[in-house]
Structure formats: structure tokens, C-alpha cells
Amino acid sequence: VVDPADYAQVLSELEATGGVTHATRVALASKAFAHTAAYDGAIAGYLSGIDPEGGRERHPRALHLGYARQYALRYGENPHQSAAFYRERNPGPGTLGAARSVGAGGKELSFNNLVDVDAALEAVREFDAPAAVVVKHTNPSGVAVADTLVGAYRAARDADALSALGGIVALSRRVDLATAQALAETFLEAVVAPGFDDDALALLHTKKNLRLLDVGVLAPASQPARVLRHVSGGLLVQDRDARAEAEVAGGRVVTRRAPTAQELQTMEFVWRVTKHVKSNAIVLATQEAGLLRTVGVGAGQMSRVVSVDIACRKAGAASAGSVLGSDAFFPFADGLERAAEAG
């Protein structure tokens, strides 16, 4: 018996019959082997991570992963696919694995919901001030930072109000009543935040199918972690793209006109957003009266110039005077020329 939570059941069966049922023994054996397998895997990972000089390798020669099924999902990415959510044995604070569901319980999270919630959560961790991220199909449709949480959410939602419908929202602060009232104005799939005030939770519970996740304190954007991606017959492993301080401020200006202080501040914001938009990624953002917000996002296109076109089209007149972020270089001048034409 490796889990104290099982003590009561074992004692109850022993007292009632003098023995333990076959079903209980199978369940206990499953837990015991999972427990010792994780222990052996941790030792193997540690030993195989020692390099010939006695130092540590970042990626060990043997990688053993231990996950426990949290719950089954209705289906996977498509209705014909079976799916389940597995949690790390010791998920870190502020992660999806450590989140608590605090919704009204009208509808459970789906595979696609969880993918989008994780994308939104990773993006909102970039900001220390009150911030909101609206995600649709793994890409941010709107991101904003403001003096208040409700101001940030309204700006992020209105950056692309059409895409926000049925979206996932991540917030960097505990949800207060004013923010809950704004959230209730639009049909949303889920909201993830570091807590909800009681009156905010009561209001949001009137939206029976709105899923609410409390992740506690958000993990810092600079926190290192391991990122895994399964491919056929193997696994890709890399370091998390943790935020480094002063990436923009420490950059080298190569144009005749240097950016203004406000442009650099806006670029710092847009740089953090661009990281979470699928390539080819183009993000346009503005700053006004302390409000930083995206005005146009072009995501996931095969051509970077097309991403520029989409971002500028979504921004409309707000393109003029905005700051542009790109997740990679422009292979030709056409993308920059289109951006310049849009102001």
C-alpha cells in the first residue's frame, strides 16, 4: 500500500472479511508498480545524465516519463478519436496540471479546450501587470495590458471581437466582479485565472457551460521547463522558451531613426505576444494612455507577407502608427513594404 489514501479502504475490508478483495489487490498492485517505476525512472534519468567528466547533461541518455490519468475526455481532436488527460506526478504551481475546476459543472473540458487553455495560460504568464489573452485555435486573437483587469480584458476581446466569440480567456490576476461582468457579456468556452472572488464566481456560475479553471499563483515566464512533442516513433525534447529580460531593450538598432521610448515599450509587449503566435507570425500593437493592446494578428500562414496582409486587414485604420513584431526574418522586402504601406 503506497498511498495513504488507500488505508481506510484496506482496513475496512480487513475488518469486514479478514482479507482484501481481488479488485482492491489489483488496484493496489497497479499503484505500487507505478510508484516504483517512477522511482526507478528518476534514478535512471539521473545516472544517464552524468557526462564523462562528471558534470550534468541537459538531456539524459534515458528519459522515463511518469504520468497519471486525471480523467477521460469525451473525445479527442475529432469525435472519432478517444482521449484522456494525464497529469504529471508532481505538476508545478500555476500549471494546467495543477488547476482546479471551479465552474458550474454544466460541461466538461474537451481535448481542444485543454490545448487552447494551455496556450492562453502560457501567453498570459509573460506579463506582470493586469493582462488578458483571448485564444482561438491555439493562437491569441487579442492580448492587452492595462491598469485594471477589466480594462485589459475588454481591450483584448475587442481587438478581434469576431474571433473572441467562443474563445478561451486567460487572465493574470484574480477575477473580480467587474471583470466577471465583462466576461459574461460574450459567449466563451473557458476562463483560466489565478483565482476568482466569491461574487465573481457566483455571477459566472449563471453561465452553465462556461468552464472555469483556478491555477493559483501563475508560474513566472522565466521559469525553465522541459517541452515534449511526440512524433511517430519518437519524442522531441527541448527547453521551454523562457522569457529573458531586456531582449528588446538590449537589441541593436540598425535603422537611421532609432525607436522612441514608447515604441520600444510597445515592442517589448508585442515581442512577448509574437512568441505565442504560430509561425509565420505577425503581430501589430499600439499603446495609448497606458493601455497596450494588439490590433492585428496574422498567424500560421505559409508565406510571411500573407501574415502581414492578414494582420493589417484585421487592424484596419489602427495599423497606422502601430508597432510590428515578427517571429522570424523577412526573406524578401515585400512584407516590410506592405507594412510600410499600412503605416
Side-chain angles (χ1 to χ4, degrees), residues 15-109:
E15 290 170 351
T17 66
V20 180
T21 66
H22 177 74
T24 298
R25 293 200 305 273
V26 170
L28 293 174
S30 171
K31 275 192 175 183
F33 276 100
H35 188 75
T36 56
Y39 182 71
D40 289 340
I43 295 171
Y46 177 83
L47 293 175
S48 70
I50 300 175
D51 64 29
E53 284 73 41
R56 298 295 303 166
E57 294 186 7
R58 181 68 186 94
H59 303 291
R61 294 181 296 281
L63 180 63
H64 298 267
L65 305 174
Y67 291 82
R69 190 181 67 196
Q70 186 76 351
Y71 47 81
L73 300 171
R74 294 197 309 277
Y75 53 81
E77 190 173 358
N78 296 290
H80 61 278
Q81 294 171 270
S82 177
F85 174 54
Y86 285 78
R87 189 177 69 174
E88 292 177 359
R89 294 181 66 86
N90 295 296
T95 63
L96 188 53
R100 293 187 306 115
S101 176
V102 294
K107 195 176 179 183
E108 64 185 20
L109 285 158

Side-chain angles (χ1 to χ4, degrees), residues 142-162:
V143 182
V145 171
D147 294 332
T148 63
L149 191 64
V150 64
Y153 168 66
R154 287 190 184 279
R157 179 195 64 189
D158 296 344
D160 188 347
L162 184 63

Side-chain angles (χ1 to χ4, degrees), residues 95 114 127 142:
T95 63
L114 287 168
F127 306 104

